[in-house]
Amino acid sequence: MECVREYQLRNVSSHCSISEMDDYDLSKLLDKPDKPRLNIERQRSFDERSLSELSIGLSRALDAYETAYSPGRSALDTPVSSARNSFEPHPMVADAWEALRRSLVFFRDQPVGTIAAYDHASEEVLNYDQVFVRDFVPSALAFLMNGEPEIVKNFLLKTLQLQGWEKRIDRFKLGEGAMPASFKVLHDPDRKTDTIVADFGESAIGRVAPVDSGFWWIILLRAYTKSTGDLSLAETPECQKGMRLILSLCLSEGFDTFPTLLCADGCSMIDRRMGIYGYPIEIQALFFMALRCALVMLRHDTEGKEFIERIVKRLHALSFHMRSYFWLDFQQLNDIYRYKTEEYSHTAVNKFNVIPDSILDWVFDFMPTRGGYFIGNVSPARMDMRWFALGNCVAILSCLATAEQAAAIMDLIEARWDELVGEMPMKICYPAIESHEWRIVTGCDPKNTRWSYHNGGSWPVLLWLLTAACIKTGRIQIARRAIDLAESLLLKDSWPEYYDGKLGRYIGKQARKFQTWSIAGYLVAKMMLEDPSHLGMISLEEDKQMKPLIKRSSSWTC
């Protein structure tokens, strides 16, 4: 831990962060330009527009939403954002920055990520001492928003190098483009050497490869580029090849009749058996966002043009499919309730032959008159109508959701606040599965009991995604309310991984303390509220060419 005490992140040069990769020039990092303020307009996306064109009227907009910002101050290094605001920071912010820096992982004296949790009180470390790709994303955003891009660049390059490793599980070789779920740095004090051990799913519970890791890597590469203005990293042959390899895994032709990605259970944040096999919303939303990010970063050379053409075609098909068949609101639910079954030919309205009697009773009570959401899964004769927070928030940020759908998702969160947020933002999914269904779906998983962990648990890390979605849709007051809830408990409870119970009132029965992405998620949410221009890192503007005319399906005639 000497490195942590001595390390001042701003002053570290990254030229030797990954010494064995001589092809990379890590010494040329551009200074982060000061970002002007943005004008917030409800139900309008403002990611790809010029920031200078949107720099007027932020204060008036924030006053209109009665929003008060609480800037952050790190115990080790004052965040850039706090210097632009005269308000006193919340006392939690200093503790959060100190805890985040304590989680830093070093490879050859250079920071390459943050461990999943820094909980010394836990008897079992398991893999919580590793750097997870998905877990590092909020940490990376926090450092980028604070003007500290070096660690993010190092992480991107190190994981890119790991992508090139041969990956085998038993006697089977994984696809070349697969990104690791996590990696661990092993320090040998006697030999004074550092080595890395990566996990591509061969050590994970259930032995499932992480489908989301590659998507998060592409999304983070774009966030780094947007934040720093450093176009050179994404344009290197190595990063271009890395993106193409990831895309090759997703865009390969097969027996699919849908543009969505077919996945196994446990391939994403929900990394245990929870009945999300098939076409889970989280993967489809991340897939859509990664395709759009890659589209603007791929070079228009011979290889790049081929992938660009395939991406454009897939995006059009994917956006139509998701907006048409995954979307559920009051009217659509009523339509499905009245579906005819056993329809044949291309004129069928009930295209997936969903049996109306399979709709669970809770859905009818849960669905408000105003509001809607992307359901968890759609496949032949199956509609998983559970709410999944990450997928719906990413759908808003990527503009997979239309402006109307994005507003409806926020309406749903407001209307069903107790169910989806409760006393700790926010539910990873809703509702919990229990009793006989729990035994069948989870295989009697003792960690995913009802209203715990992935089965209806409340995850503080989702606060940053909720806040980003709130800012994008102009619902600042929702973000403020959620952050106030988090601030009342997180520090006092030592930054738990998740909370249990219908309202999220209890620290999770197996939750780790000082969970890094709970800490980073809070910091990112605070910094985005303080300076909404940060939203541009992880938000995309609507593509007018992908806005199809969606007609309500109806299985009867008037």
Side-chain angles (χ1 to χ4, degrees):
M1 294 303 298
E2 281 186 24
C3 291
V4 177
R5 287 194 296 269
E6 296 173 0
Y7 179 63
Q8 294 293 332
L9 197 53
R10 283 185 188 283
N11 301 323
V12 170
S13 170
S14 60
H15 71 279
C16 59
S17 60
I18 305 173
S19 59
E20 67 270 34
M21 302 180 70
D22 295 329
D23 292 336
Y24 293 115
D25 180 5
L26 301 185
S27 62
K28 297 179 180 178
L29 284 173
L30 300 179
D31 293 334
K32 179 182 176 184
D34 288 334
K35 291 194 179 105
R37 300 281 184 171
L38 294 181
N39 182 35
I40 295 179
E41 301 175 22
R42 180 170 177 172
Q43 296 181 7
R44 290 190 62 191
S45 167
F46 56 144
D47 170 64
E48 297 293 344
R49 287 175 280 174
S50 169
L51 296 183
S52 61
E53 296 175 0
L54 296 166
S55 59
I56 302 173
L58 175 63
S59 298
R60 292 195 299 271
L62 296 181
D63 290 341
Y65 287 109
E66 298 180 351
T67 302
Y69 292 141
S70 299
R73 185 179 305 276
S74 168
L76 300 181
D77 190 24
T78 302
V80 173
S81 55
S82 66
R84 290 197 285 260
N85 199 308
S86 59
F87 294 111
E88 281 299 315
H90 194 283
M92 276 180 61
V93 173
D95 290 273
W97 275 108
E98 184 176 359
L100 179 60
R101 296 185 192 280
R102 201 163 53 234
S103 71
L104 285 168
V105 172
F106 293 81
F107 178 75
R108 299 179 183 176
D109 297 327
Q110 296 298 311
V112 292
T114 51
I115 59 174
Y118 193 77
D119 187 0
H120 289 302
S122 177
E123 296 180 357
E124 287 185 299
V125 176
L126 295 179
N127 55 359
Y128 282 83
D129 61 345
Q130 298 186 21
V131 179
F132 281 81
V133 173
R134 75 175 69 93
D135 291 39
F136 180 67
V137 171
S139 295
L141 294 176
F143 285 119
L144 287 174
M145 291 177 186
N146 199 41
E148 307 178 48
E150 295 93 341
I151 183 176
V152 182
K153 186 171 186 179
N154 293 345
F155 170 85
L156 289 167
L157 293 176
K158 176 51 65 180
T159 47
L160 182 63
Q161 184 193 29
L162 297 176
Q163 182 194 43
W165 288 11
E166 183 177 278
K167 303 169 276 285
R168 288 183 179 273
I169 297 182
D170 294 332
R171 298 183 180 182
F172 183 72
K173 183 178 179 181
L174 274 67
E176 188 180 1
M179 280 286 186
S182 62
F183 65 86
K184 183 175 182 177
V185 178
L186 301 176
H187 303 286
D188 187 333
D190 296 329
R191 297 182 180 181
K192 296 182 179 180
T193 59
D194 291 345
T195 56
I196 283 185
V197 178
D199 177 18
F200 292 89
E202 70 271 25
S203 300
I205 297 173
R207 302 301 187 265
V208 179
V211 177
D212 61 340
S213 286
F215 299 151
W216 279 123
W217 188 88
I218 291 175
I219 293 167
L220 186 56
L221 177 61
R222 179 195 169 272
Y224 170 86
T225 302
K226 289 286 292 184
S227 174
T228 64
D230 179 8
L231 304 177
S232 63
L233 179 62
E235 293 180 350
T236 60
E238 293 78 10
C239 282
Q240 291 289 308
K241 180 182 178 182
M243 283 190 284
R244 292 197 302 268
L245 288 175
I246 294 170
L247 295 171
S248 293
L249 291 177
C250 325
L251 299 175
S252 58
E253 296 179 350
F255 293 98
D256 301 299
T257 55
F258 313 131
T260 42
L261 281 181
L262 181 63
C263 303
D265 235 338
C267 65
S268 58
M269 179 181 175
I270 298 178
D271 57 3
R272 300 169 74 95
R273 184 174 159 189
M274 268 293 293
I276 66 167
Y277 63 89
Y279 305 91
I281 178 60
E282 175 178 336
I283 292 297
Q284 312 315 320
L286 288 172
F287 178 36
F288 183 85
M289 188 165 192
L291 288 178
R292 292 202 61 195
C293 291
L295 190 62
V296 298
M297 292 190 293
L298 283 172
R299 300 184 65 169
H300 288 252
D301 52 19
T302 304
E303 293 178 297
K305 283 184 178 179
E306 177 189 350
F307 277 93
I308 288 171
E309 292 175 1
R310 293 166 67 184
I311 289 173
V312 170
K313 290 179 181 178
R314 190 61 166 264
L315 282 172
H316 278 80
L318 184 59
S319 62
F320 178 82
H321 183 89
M322 297 297 296
R323 293 168 181 174
S324 301
Y325 305 123
F326 274 68
W327 181 253
L328 188 70
D329 56 19
F330 185 86
Q331 182 60 53
Q332 185 73 350
L333 178 59
N334 205 159
D335 290 353
I336 296 170
Y337 176 67
R338 293 170 59 89
Y339 267 169
K340 295 177 181 178
T341 60
E342 308 302 326
E343 294 179 301
Y344 181 76
S345 86
H346 64 279
T347 61
V349 175
N350 186 0
K351 296 181 185 296
F352 298 95
N353 197 36
V354 175
I355 311 301
D357 287 346
S358 69
I359 304 174
L360 299 178
D361 290 342
W362 70 265
V363 181
F364 297 102
D365 296 329
F366 178 70
M367 181 62 69
T369 305
R370 290 184 55 198
Y373 64 104
F374 289 98
I375 63 175
N377 221 311
V378 176
S379 57
R382 177 184 179 224
M383 296 185 82
D384 180 355
M385 294 186 178
R386 284 178 293 175
W387 153 272
F388 290 87
L390 193 152
N392 276 275
C393 288
V394 172
I396 292 175
L397 297 176
S398 64
C399 283
L400 173 59
T402 64
E404 294 77 14
Q405 288 172 334
I409 292 171
M410 302 312 297
D411 288 340
L412 177 79
I413 293 173
E414 282 192 297
R416 296 293 178 259
W417 184 266
D418 288 342
E419 291 87 346
L420 302 182
V421 180
E423 296 184 22
M424 174 53 64
M426 68 179 308
K427 290 291 181 193
I428 188 172
C429 72
Y430 180 89
I433 52 179
E434 48 190 317
S435 303
H436 181 65
E437 186 184 11
W438 167 79
R439 288 190 287 272
I440 298 299
V441 173
T442 73
C444 300
D445 188 349
K447 195 167 185 178
N448 273 331
T449 53
R450 62 178 184 176
W451 306 113
S452 180
Y453 203 49
H454 298 141
N455 189 12
S458 299
W459 290 68
V461 64
L462 297 172
L463 181 64
W464 80 265
L465 283 162
L466 174 61
T467 300
C470 288
I471 295 173
K472 179 154 187 160
T473 55
R475 307 289 187 93
I476 303 290
Q477 73 281 8
I478 297 179
R480 278 299 333 154
R481 186 180 175 189
I483 290 176
D484 287 345
L485 283 174
E487 287 179 338
S488 68
L489 292 173
L490 282 180
L491 181 60
K492 177 176 68 72
D493 294 340
S494 301
W495 306 98
E497 179 184 10
Y498 62 95
Y499 286 76
D500 286 353
K502 279 190 175 182
L503 294 176
R505 297 178 63 188
Y506 304 96
I507 298 174
K509 59 183 176 181
Q510 295 187 42
R512 292 300 193 276
K513 298 293 185 69
F514 296 98
Q515 185 79 13
T516 303
W517 68 356
S518 296
I519 298 165
Y522 166 73
L523 287 172
V524 171
K526 290 288 283 187
M527 285 190 282
M528 279 194 295
L529 266 189
E530 178 190 337
D531 184 358
S533 68
H534 290 314
L535 181 66
M537 294 185 204
I538 39 87
S539 175
L540 301 170
E541 187 187 4
E542 183 178 25
D543 187 337
K544 303 299 182 183
Q545 295 180 352
M546 288 189 296
K547 191 173 183 181
L549 176 62
I550 300 178
K551 297 181 179 179
R552 291 283 178 204
S553 58
S554 174
S555 57
W556 73 93
T557 55
C558 297

